[in-house]
Amino acid sequence: QAQLVESGGGSVQAGDSLRLSCAASGRTFSTYPMGWFRQAPGKEREFVAVSTWSGGPTYYADSMKGRFTISRDNAKNSLYLQMNSLEPEDTAVYYCAASERRRGAVRDASTYDYWGQGTQVTVSS
């Protein structure tokens, strides 16, 4: 029943930064996992980052660790992904996802019940 809407994507140069936003409606996810996945043309959807719950542990894919930061704003029921030092390999459609379960395999896309429409990130060298 919940809806997720991503925004903030765009075209940037290598080394630049972007901040993606995910606005959730229909229910509150402050105590539930919310994460980011991405999919490039011809590639499988891959895990990017997850916030397990507000104030809880966060996890990142190795290629994003140290460059990307996931965060929440409970008042806005929103999720964010700050992306720094972007590389052409980061070019993909980025999807926000949320789970209605408080526990699960948070790096696994099948864990999530709700998905946004995606926002395109393009990084030029």
Side-chain angles (χ1 to χ4, degrees), residues 9-14 18 86-88 90-92 94 120-124:
S11 298
V12 299
Q13 298 292 316
L18 280 174
L86 285 164
E87 301 292 339
D90 297 316
T91 295
Y94 284 71
Q120 176 71 48
V121 172
T122 302
V123 185
S124 301

Side-chain angles (χ1 to χ4, degrees), residues 32-105:
Y32 297 85
M34 296 187 72
W36 292 94
F37 292 77
R38 70 185 187 186
Q39 187 166 22
K43 298 186 66 177
E44 295 290 319
R45 181 173 52 185
E46 67 174 334
F47 168 75
V48 174
V50 63
S51 168
T52 54
W53 61 85
S54 180
T58 58
Y59 301 100
Y60 299 88
D62 288 343
S63 62
M64 295 82 174
K65 195 174 301 181
R67 300 189 299 125
F68 293 4
T69 303
I70 191 169
S71 61
R72 295 175 181 248
D73 185 330
N74 291 336
K76 297 180 179 179
N77 201 26
S78 296
L79 183 75
Y80 304 96
L81 184 69
Q82 178 66 45
M83 305 187 295
N84 298 328
S85 302
L86 285 164
E87 301 292 339
E89 292 74 20
D90 297 316
T91 295
V93 176
Y94 284 71
Y95 296 93
C96 175
S99 175
E100 63 182 15
R101 311 174 192 274
R102 290 191 173 93
R103 299 187 181 187

